[in-house]
């Protein structure tokens, strides 16, 4: 629902899983997470649209549900609609 029918990336699934495994008493730093907006390390192409991922929707999901649970280092949430 929150990803507007887009598929989550493995990075987002890992963050969501970590969140579910802990009762809130944990601290994780997430460095440079770009929500699948950059090129793939394997293919060197931006495959977000090809695989059905939405960097915008993932960023909004992390802002809404995960930003207070993880320490996002060098992650820009400036373009997220703050609702």
């Amino acid at each position: 629902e929150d990803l507007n029918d887009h598929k989550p990336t493995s990075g987002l699934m890992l963050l969501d899983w970590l969140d579910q495994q802990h009762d809130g008493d944990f601290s994780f730093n997430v460095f440079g997470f770009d929500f699948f907006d950059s090129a793939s390390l394997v293919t060197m192409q931006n495959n977000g649209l090809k695989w059905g991922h939405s960097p915008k929707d993932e960023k909004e999901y992390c802002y809404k549900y995960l930003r207070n649970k993880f320490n996002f280092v060098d992650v820009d949430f400036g373009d997220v609609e703050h609702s």
Side-chain angles (χ1 to χ4, degrees):
E1 174 181 314
D2 289 309
L3 294 177
N4 295 315
D5 294 325
H6 291 102
K7 297 177 183 175
T9 61
S10 57
L12 181 61
M13 288 189 287
L14 176 62
L15 293 179
D16 196 54
W17 180 82
L18 286 170
D19 177 44
Q20 293 176 30
Q21 300 307 305
H22 296 84
D23 61 3
D25 187 26
F26 69 97
S27 176
F28 285 102
N29 291 327
V30 180
F31 292 90
F33 195 70
D34 75 348
F35 312 98
F36 212 70
D37 202 21
S38 65
S40 164
L41 294 175
V42 176
T43 65
M44 299 309 291
Q45 297 176 10
N46 185 322
N47 291 325
L49 296 176
K50 177 180 177 183
W51 300 112
H53 303 302
S54 171
K56 177 183 178 291
D57 290 332
E58 287 207 2
K59 185 180 284 191
E60 289 176 359
Y61 181 90
C62 285
Y63 182 85
K64 185 174 181 181
Y65 297 109
L66 302 176
R67 73 180 168 100
N68 294 322
K69 301 175 182 183
F70 294 89
N71 180 27
F72 286 92
V73 180
D74 293 330
V75 175
D76 180 14
F77 286 109
D79 58 344
V80 172
E81 293 182 23
H82 306 288
S83 55

